[in-house]
Amino acid sequence: MSIIIIKNPEQIEGIRKSSKLAGKILLYAEQFVKEGVSTEYIDDKIEEYIRDHGAIPAPLHYHGFPKSSCISLNETVCHGIPAKDTILKNHDIVNIDVTTILDGYYGDTSRMYSVGEMSIIAKKLVVATKKCLDIGIGQCSPGNYFGNIGYHIANFAHSKGFSVVYEFTGHGTGLEFHEPPQVDHIAGRNSGKIMKPGMIFTIEPMINQGKAKVTVDNHDGWTARTKDNKLSAQFEHTILITETGYDVLTDVSGEYNNS
Ligand code: MF3
Ligand code: CO
Ligand code: CO
């Protein structure tokens, strides 16, 4: 079924709590993103923090995923598996994607970090990708089409000379990890379903330095890399549609003027 669930107030409060916890983990993780640290170590610290706060890491055992978070470096687009032999090095760009289950409710968010200074092109890509997320969030309003999220994200990404990953998308979330609708980051103007108050979904653009095409690692069945091995970046928030606009549930920095 492709019915988009309208969450009730009790569910919204539960999803908000889980989302805030996920957002806080991204702040907590920052201290570990340093040269010489393994992505497995960061994942261990994330799992410990999640469990200490009475929650469960949603990725663990999800369709066989072996770890508690996704940590994706440089040309890895998403679903990087934390590993003891994946060691951070100077100038790496790193996405950490955290999804919590708290009292049965899901919150899903990710952001970029860097190890030391970024190269000029990496910085340009990361800044543009954050802007893509914010442009998508700016389209969140009752009565607007989901397609306008991807329409405006793609226009901006292309204007910067970057490409938009189309093989992975945002998604409804809250009662399950992945619910309808699929939230495309490249889409036609005024296409798709219409946003309504009480809908909760992610926007999580993956933007590539080179071509959009992605390949998934044969060995692990998860790690998605750019086919041309150029850089990729991603930011993600979980968003509630309100009567008047949006509420960024995973924002813990007070960055967004929720309306
Ligand atoms: N958190 C990812 C998303 O944003 C999904 C990860 S699925 C996993 O949708 F199995 F790799 F964890
Ligand atoms: Co997501
Ligand atoms: Co995620």
Side-chain angles (χ1 to χ4, degrees):
M1 285 292 278
S2 61
I3 300 288
I4 306 175
I5 302 167
I6 305 291
K7 273 78 178 184
N8 67 38
E10 182 185 332
Q11 292 167 334
I12 290 170
E13 280 328 293
I15 297 162
R16 186 190 301 281
K17 271 194 195 157
S18 190
S19 294
K20 293 290 172 230
L21 176 60
K24 277 193 220 158
I25 295 163
L26 294 185
L27 295 179
Y28 170 73
E30 184 157 28
Q31 63 191 300
F32 307 114
V33 180
K34 288 186 303 201
E35 193 169 7
V37 176
S38 74
T39 56
E40 180 176 74
Y41 179 78
I42 299 172
D43 184 73
D44 285 345
K45 301 305 283 184
I46 288 171
E47 178 171 12
E48 179 182 72
Y49 190 103
I50 291 174
R51 296 198 189 278
D52 283 352
H53 288 77
I56 299 165
L60 189 62
H61 310 313
Y62 179 76
H63 294 282
F65 192 80
K67 291 287 185 179
S68 295
S69 63
C70 297
I71 306 186
S72 304
L73 311 187
N74 302 320
E75 78 289 348
T76 303
V77 172
C78 63
H79 302 165
I81 302 176
K84 68 173 181 308
D85 54 3
T86 303
I87 309 289
L88 299 182
K89 56 186 194 309
N90 200 19
H91 311 304
D92 280 344
I93 60 169
V94 182
N95 175 277
I96 302 182
D97 190 334
V98 169
T99 310
T100 46
I101 313 172
L102 181 64
D103 302 328
Y105 297 112
Y106 290 75
D108 188 6
T109 184
S110 85
R111 58 160 275 199
M112 298 302 293
Y113 306 80
S114 74
V115 183
E117 291 288 301
M118 285 185 268
S119 70
I120 288 167
I121 181 65
K123 194 173 214 166
K124 196 179 157 210
L125 178 67
V126 168
V127 168
T129 305
K130 176 59 163 58
K131 178 87 178 160
C132 283
L133 172 59
D134 292 346
I135 286 169
I137 290 172
Q139 288 300 312
C140 291
S141 176
N144 197 11
Y145 291 91
F146 276 97
N148 287 334
I149 294 171
Y151 177 74
H152 289 281
I153 287 174
N155 270 353
F156 178 75
H158 294 159
S159 78
K160 294 288 172 185
F162 298 134
S163 64
V164 179
V165 171
Y166 54 88
E167 293 162 285
F168 297 98
T169 68
H171 51 90
T173 194
L175 308 186
E176 306 281 348
F177 199 159
H178 296 111
E179 301 173 5
Q182 177 175 311
V183 179
D184 294 321
H185 303 114
I186 176 165
R189 190 168 166 262
N190 293 347
S191 67
K193 299 231 162 68
I194 290 178
M195 300 175 210
K196 298 202 175 80
M199 289 182 177
I200 296 179
F201 54 87
T202 72
I203 302 177
E204 49 183 297
M206 286 143 274
I207 305 297
N208 292 354
Q209 175 193 356
K211 298 235 158 65
K213 185 74 189 158
V214 163
T215 58
V216 175
D217 214 316
N218 277 326
H219 303 283
D220 62 29
W222 283 102
T223 312
R225 296 176 207 278
T226 56
K227 189 157 190 291
D228 62 13
N229 270 304
K230 294 190 176 174
L231 296 174
S232 186
Q234 180 179 28
F235 287 84
E236 174 176 27
H237 272 310
T238 296
I239 294 136
L240 164 72
I241 299 298
T242 64
E243 295 295 333
T244 49
Y246 61 82
D247 191 340
V248 181
L249 299 181
T250 40
D251 175 31
V252 290
S253 307
E255 190 189 335
Y256 295 92
N257 283 321
N258 295 328
S259 50

